[in-house]
């Protein structure tokens, strides 16, 4: 930025001193974008030169003419207009306001000159205003303005935010999930329309968005890559090269940030892993894993998908894919390969069908080309329609169902518009790659506890998961209202300090309704994190210790109730022991002598009365 | 020969010479200072300012700022002239004249800096 005038402008209005210092230390990439923006402003100034000079020239000539042409005052004496009068007359005439002939009625000489000036000045104004409006409509100018606006918004963020590069369907789902959790995020996408959709979207917080190429590190920097509040980078673009570029930029410029990227090919995953340790989400790989989990432990799979779907999700039905029998996989693309490998690992025989019928694309031995009816769907137990074309998938499902109505059918849905069609088909398992990605990224970003829980869940067995699902539905219903974290520290749970230190703090005593302690709180503890040890779905007899971290799922009302219990001493006393104690200081003082002898009798907390 | 450079040099120089023409003479004698010359100086200075818009170089930025200074002072002088002629009851006194001319003298200094910059730019262009 070599222009001292602009430097002055920034110093006076930008308050960017510390920000600039941070920029200098971290990287200079953002400067490229900022320079691009100021270049456009210079271009605008340059283009306004001609209209402004024309306007000044016309004004000067008209005013000069008025002062030179002789007029006369009401008494008929010769009089010459001064510069001020002339400028005043020309100003209101040129702007078509027209106050009339001031200070004295004009002579014919003057009127002739004013007539000429009127036409000249109107042309001058029209030219200047027209050029200005044309510039405001100019695409380059508008995008420069948008860039500046976006830069300012991101620089002003003072709370942690996630940088989302690529705001497709997956980004949209992830954004809605993050917004429901009260987290901030910033969006970069190549497509103007996606960014416009962001503006009309109903988010709780303002979401800064910029239509720009995320492959440009300058744009990433402007979107807050080097912002101290940036907590994670998510690359969800459909273009894998772009995702690689984002992973690369984040890995080189901010090695401390966690990066989550979408990739669907092995080679791309390898290339991404070369830069730091990004967490790569491959929707087909995940679906394969999910299918294996569903084959082995249907209840675990049900719990996993429920918790991954985010707040407000309904309990998904428990699918039971058949294990004993042959599966038919249609479409040997990336998904087909993954599924074949996963099913093969489970010891299930697989027939691969390439529905295009093109003999050239038969990559494995045993792949058969043709319609499902011809490849023995009659005696198969499972069927996967996994091509990248929704129409083909739907017709495959219909054909397979006709051949064998008892088939377990899984289908892949590529476009969100086709969701009603797949819903009408009532397929047993539906793969929506974008949703798989969004859920996976959501689980990783929402809280580390949930991610930990989900990773340890498959190892716990099906019966355990089924029991937990029953507990959750029994207490909280079939809808996941809220998922939140509580830390039992002196700061976050001041009322619990003494009780926790007593060593007899049963979890079951804490989770009771502050209104009526006979009633349990409508919430289930999913994980207790104690140091490095994670206790999954502990029962009521678990003894809590200071510093424990709890992940709870349940009603929003339960969350509020628990918050009260953690903070207010009197409520905690009632919830834990059943005694009503006065909450104000004076009443506590007054009632202490009476309560003192009673307090010596029970040392341990009384067991709950039911 | 670059026509843009010719126009640019012409206006910068004309702004300075008109300014000088108004400035020269007894500082408190209205007869020595023509109001049309002040008007022309204001107009030409404004045009010179607009011509300097949008130059991204360091020297261009200083050019623009000197022009803005000259504009400020000349418009100040013109306003004082208007006040003395139309509002003040005593009209154009030697005191008013002296104030107006000294303001235009300040503008003249800025215009001279502008001309010096122009010369420097020209010389360095030929060497570079």
């Amino acid at each position: 930025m070599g222009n001292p005038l602009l430097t002055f402008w920034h110093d006076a209005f930008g308050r960017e001193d510390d920000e600039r210092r941070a920029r200098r230390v971290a990287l200079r990439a953002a400067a490229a974008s900022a320079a691009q923006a100021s270049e456009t402003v210079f271009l605008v100034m340059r283009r306004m030169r001609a209209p402004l000079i024309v306007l000044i020239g016309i004004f000067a000539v008209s005013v000069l003419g008025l002062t030179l042409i002789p007029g006369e005052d009401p008494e008929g004496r010769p009089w010459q207009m001064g510069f001020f009068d002339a400028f005043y007359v020309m100003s209101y005439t040129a702007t078509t306001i027209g106050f009339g002939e001031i200070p004295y009625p004009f002579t014919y000489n003057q009127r002739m000159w004013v007539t000429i000036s009127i036409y000249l000045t109107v042309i001058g104004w029209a030219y200047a205003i027209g050029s200005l409006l044309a510039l405001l409509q100019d695409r380059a100018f508008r995008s420069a303005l948008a860039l500046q606006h976006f830069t300012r918004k991101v620089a002003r963020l003072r709370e942690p935010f996630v940088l989302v590069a690529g705001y497709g369907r997956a980004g949209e789902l992830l954004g809605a999930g993050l917004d429901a959790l009260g987290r901030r995020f910033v969006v970069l996408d190549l497509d103007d329309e996606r960014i416009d959709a962001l503006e009309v979207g109903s988010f709780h917080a303002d979401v800064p968005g910029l239509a720009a190429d995320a492959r440009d590190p300058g744009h990433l920097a402007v979107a807050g890559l080097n912002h101290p509040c940036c907590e994670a980078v998510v690359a969800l673009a459909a273009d894998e090269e772009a995702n690689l570029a984002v992973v690369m930029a984040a890995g080189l410029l901010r090695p401390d940030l966690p990066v989550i990227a979408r990739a669907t090919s092995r080679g791309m995953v390898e290339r991404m892993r070369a830069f730091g340790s990004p967490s790569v989400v491959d929707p087909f790989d995940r679906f394969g894993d999910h299918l294996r989990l569903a084959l082995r432990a249907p209840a675990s799979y049900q719990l996993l998908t429920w918790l991954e779907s985010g707040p407000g999700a309904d309990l998904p039905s428990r699918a039971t894919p058949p294990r004993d029998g042959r599966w038919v996989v249609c479409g040997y693309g990336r998904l087909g390969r993954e599924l074949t490998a996963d099913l093969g690992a489970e010891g299930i025989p697989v027939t691969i069908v390439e529905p295009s019928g093109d003999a050239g694309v038969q990559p494995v031995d045993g792949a058969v080309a043709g319609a499902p009816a011809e490849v023995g769907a009659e005696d198969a137990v499972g069927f996967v329609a996994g091509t990248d074309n929704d129409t083909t998938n739907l017709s495959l499902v219909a054909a397979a169902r006709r051949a064998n109505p008892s088939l377990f059918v899984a289908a892949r849905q590529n476009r969100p518009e086709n969701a009603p069609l797949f819903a009408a088909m009532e397929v047993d398992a539906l793969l929506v790659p974008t949703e798989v990605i969004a859920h996976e990224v959501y689980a990783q970003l929402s809280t580390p506890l949930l991610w930990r829980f989900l990773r340890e869940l498959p190892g716990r067995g099906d019966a355990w998961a089924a029991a937990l699902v029953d507990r959750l539905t029994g207490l909280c219903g079939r809808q996941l209202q809220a998922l939140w974290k509580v830390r039992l520290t002196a700061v976050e749970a001041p009322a619990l300090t003494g009780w926790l230190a007593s060593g007899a703090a049963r979890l079951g005593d804490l989770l009771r309704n502050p209104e009526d302690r006979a009633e349990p709180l409508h919430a289930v503890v999913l994980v207790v994190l104690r140091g490095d040890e994670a206790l999954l779905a502990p029962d009521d007899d678990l003894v809590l210790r200071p510093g424990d971290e709890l992940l709870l799922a349940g009603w929003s009302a339960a969350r509020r109730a628990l918050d009260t219990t953690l903070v207010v001493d009197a409520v905690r006393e009632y919830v834990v022991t059943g005694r009503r104690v006065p909450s104000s200081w004076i009443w506590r003082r007054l009632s202490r002598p009476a309560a003192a002898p009673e307090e010596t009798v029970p040392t341990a907390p009384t067991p709950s009365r039911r | 020969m670059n026509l843009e450079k010719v126009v640019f040099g012409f206006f910068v120089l004309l702004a300075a010479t008109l300014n000088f023409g108004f400035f020269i003479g007894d500082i408190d004698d209205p007869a020595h200072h023509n109001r049309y010359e002040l008007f022309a100086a204001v107009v030409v200075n404004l045009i010179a300012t607009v011509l300097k818009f949008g130059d991204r170089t360091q020297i261009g930025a200083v050019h623009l700022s000197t022009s803005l200074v000259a504009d400020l002072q000349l418009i100040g002088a013109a306003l004082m002239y208007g006040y003395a002629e139309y509002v003040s009851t005593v009209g154009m006194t030697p005191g008013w004249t002296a104030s107006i001319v000294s303001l235009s003298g300040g503008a003249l200094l800025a215009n001279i800096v502008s001309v010096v910059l122009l010369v420097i730019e020209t010389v360095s262009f030929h060497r570079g």
Side-chain angles (χ1 to χ4, degrees), chain A residues 395-419:
Chain A
S395 65
L396 281 171
V397 169
R401 276 257 173 82
R402 202 177 320 118
N404 183 354
S406 63
L407 265 181
F408 179 92
V409 177
R412 165 178 169 188
Q413 177 199 324
N414 298 288
R415 303 174 65 84
E417 304 89 270
N418 291 327

Side-chain angles (χ1 to χ4, degrees), chain A residues 383-550:
Chain A
F383 181 83
V384 180
T387 69
D388 55 4
N389 183 326
D390 280 348
T391 326
T392 312
N393 285 347
L394 283 167
S395 65
L396 281 171
V397 169
R401 276 257 173 82
R402 202 177 320 118
N404 183 354
S406 63
L407 265 181
F408 179 92
V409 177
R412 165 178 169 188
Q413 177 199 324
N414 298 288
R415 303 174 65 84
E417 304 89 270
N418 291 327
L421 301 182
F422 282 94
M425 271 294 199
E426 290 175 344
V427 293
D428 300 297
L430 188 63
L431 162 68
V432 189
T434 52
E435 281 180 16
V436 171
I437 295 166
H439 291 165
E440 178 88 4
V441 177
Y442 168 80
Q444 293 192 27
L445 284 180
S446 58
T447 85
L449 277 180
L450 177 63
W451 183 234
R452 178 116 189 219
F453 178 82
L454 293 178
R455 268 186 310 169
E456 298 201 1
L457 181 145
R460 290 303 174 109
D462 199 35
W464 179 85
L468 185 56
V469 170
D470 286 345
R471 248 175 90 191
L472 270 169
T473 48
L475 269 174
C476 318
R478 302 179 66 82
Q479 205 186 39
L480 195 65
Q481 278 197 357
L483 202 63
W484 75 100
K485 192 176 76 174
V486 168
R487 207 175 281 148
L488 302 183
T489 58
V491 181
E492 287 187 31
L496 256 54
T497 319
W499 182 60
L500 287 173
S502 73
R506 280 180 68 246
L507 179 61
D509 290 336
L510 184 65
L511 297 179
R512 307 206 150 270
N513 193 340
E515 309 290 328
D516 174 14
R517 73 184 293 274
E519 210 175 285
L521 216 54
H522 293 284
V524 173
V525 178
L526 294 176
V527 191
V528 174
L529 189 70
R530 185 170 289 167
D532 268 347
E533 186 193 3
L535 308 166
L536 265 62
D539 60 8
D540 286 353
D541 291 327
L542 179 84
V543 176
L544 295 170
R545 284 191 213 153
D548 283 355
E549 269 184 68
L550 274 59

Side-chain angles (χ1 to χ4, degrees), chain A residues 14-169:
Chain A
R15 290 181 291 119
E16 288 181 346
D17 248 348
D18 50 339
E19 194 221 334
R20 203 180 304 147
R21 210 173 305 127
R23 221 183 249 176
R24 208 178 298 140
V25 176
L27 75 163
R28 291 177 182 275
S33 288
Q36 206 179 324
S38 67
E39 205 152 338
T40 320
V41 175
F42 277 108
L43 184 74
V44 168
M45 282 171 82
R46 210 179 258 270
R47 279 206 225 156
M48 281 309 287
R49 270 183 194 174
L52 283 179
I53 288 176
V54 167
L55 199 63
I56 292 174
I58 288 174
F59 246 79
V61 170
S62 321
V63 170
L64 189 66
L66 268 187
T67 61
L68 290 177
I69 292 166
E72 54 185 31
D73 62 6
E75 282 88 48
R77 285 171 304 190
W79 174 81
Q80 273 209 323
M81 203 179 246
F83 271 110
F84 174 72
D85 283 326
F87 183 70
Y88 181 57
V89 169
M90 277 332 296
S91 298
Y92 68 62
T93 310
T95 49
T96 71
I97 290 168
F99 283 151
E101 301 179 344
I102 295 173
Y104 311 125
F106 289 172
T107 60
Y108 276 101
N109 258 346
Q110 283 176 312
R111 282 185 190 153
M112 281 175 195
W113 179 246
V114 171
T115 313
I116 297 169
S117 324
I118 286 172
Y119 285 101
L120 278 179
T121 47
V122 165
I123 290 170
W125 273 120
Y127 179 35
I129 292 175
S131 313
L132 194 65
L133 289 181
L135 272 178
L136 289 184
Q137 296 294 319
D138 193 64
R139 233 183 66 91
F141 180 68
R142 291 178 76 92
S143 66
L145 272 190
L147 179 62
Q148 280 187 343
H149 189 58
F150 176 76
T151 314
R152 215 174 306 135
K153 269 210 262 187
V154 173
R156 280 204 199 124
L157 281 175
R158 287 290 171 268
E159 45 190 324
F161 65 91
V162 178
L163 170 54
V164 180
Y167 191 70
R169 181 77 195 135

Side-chain angles (χ1 to χ4, degrees), chain A residues 63-424:
Chain A
V63 170
L64 189 66
L66 268 187
T67 61
L68 290 177
I69 292 166
E72 54 185 31
D73 62 6
E75 282 88 48
R77 285 171 304 190
W79 174 81
Q80 273 209 323
M81 203 179 246
F83 271 110
F84 174 72
D85 283 326
F87 183 70
Y88 181 57
V89 169
M90 277 332 296
S91 298
Y92 68 62
T93 310
T95 49
T96 71
I97 290 168
F99 283 151
E101 301 179 344
I102 295 173
Y104 311 125
F106 289 172
T107 60
Y108 276 101
N109 258 346
Q110 283 176 312
R111 282 185 190 153
M112 281 175 195
W113 179 246
V114 171
T115 313
I116 297 169
S117 324
I118 286 172
Y119 285 101
L120 278 179
T121 47
V122 165
I123 290 170
W125 273 120
Y127 179 35
I129 292 175
S131 313
L132 194 65
L133 289 181
L135 272 178
L136 289 184
Q137 296 294 319
D138 193 64
R139 233 183 66 91
F141 180 68
R142 291 178 76 92
S143 66
L145 272 190
L147 179 62
Q148 280 187 343
H149 189 58
F150 176 76
T151 314
R152 215 174 306 135
K153 269 210 262 187
V154 173
R156 280 204 199 124
L157 281 175
R158 287 290 171 268
E159 45 190 324
F161 65 91
V162 178
L163 170 54
V164 180
Y167 191 70
R169 181 77 195 135
E172 205 173 285
L173 288 170
L174 174 68
L178 287 176
D179 189 59
L181 283 178
R183 303 271 288 269
R184 301 291 300 266
F185 61 101
V186 171
V187 170
L188 268 186
D189 196 291
L190 208 52
D191 190 356
D192 281 338
E193 283 176 25
R194 304 296 309 165
I195 299 298
D196 289 344
L198 199 66
E199 266 162 34
V200 296
S202 49
F203 292 108
H204 296 106
D206 181 38
V207 181
L210 179 69
D213 193 348
R215 278 175 292 194
D216 181 348
H219 291 149
L220 281 176
V222 161
L225 183 62
N226 53 348
H227 196 294
C229 291
C230 184
E231 55 172 355
V233 177
V234 183
L236 295 181
D239 177 9
E240 301 204 337
E241 287 282 337
N243 289 341
L244 176 64
V246 172
V247 169
M248 224 156 68
L252 291 174
L253 300 175
R254 284 292 295 272
D256 53 317
L257 280 186
V259 180
I260 305 174
R262 158 194 194 159
T264 47
S265 67
R266 283 270 145 73
M268 192 52 81
V269 173
E270 292 302 318
R271 286 165 75 186
M272 284 180 177
R273 294 250 157 87
F275 296 95
S277 51
S279 160
V280 181
V281 180
D282 179 349
F284 305 122
D285 183 33
R286 291 303 299 168
F287 185 71
D289 291 350
H290 283 180
L291 189 68
R292 277 180 79 174
L293 183 63
L295 282 167
R296 234 184 285 153
S300 300
Y301 172 68
Q302 182 189 28
L303 184 61
L304 182 94
T305 45
W306 196 21
L307 292 178
E308 268 189 350
S309 315
D314 285 317
L315 178 71
S317 59
R318 193 177 297 178
T320 48
R323 292 182 55 94
D324 35 357
R326 193 166 54 83
W327 278 62
V328 177
V329 175
C330 279
Y332 197 69
R334 289 168 302 186
L335 176 64
R337 259 171 255 254
E338 280 292 344
L339 286 184
T340 315
D342 285 328
L343 289 170
E346 290 290 308
I348 296 171
V350 180
T351 308
I352 302 152
V353 181
E354 191 57 56
S356 60
D358 187 351
V361 280
Q362 287 192 8
V364 289
D365 305 327
V368 189
E374 298 165 17
V375 295
E378 293 89 351
D379 56 342
V381 292
F383 181 83
V384 180
T387 69
D388 55 4
N389 183 326
D390 280 348
T391 326
T392 312
N393 285 347
L394 283 167
S395 65
L396 281 171
V397 169
R401 276 257 173 82
R402 202 177 320 118
N404 183 354
S406 63
L407 265 181
F408 179 92
V409 177
R412 165 178 169 188
Q413 177 199 324
N414 298 288
R415 303 174 65 84
E417 304 89 270
N418 291 327
L421 301 182
F422 282 94

Side-chain angles (χ1 to χ4, degrees), chain B residues 19-31:
Chain B
N19 200 333
F20 180 72
F22 179 76
F23 175 74
I24 199 89
D26 281 350
I27 197 162
D28 55 356
D29 187 355

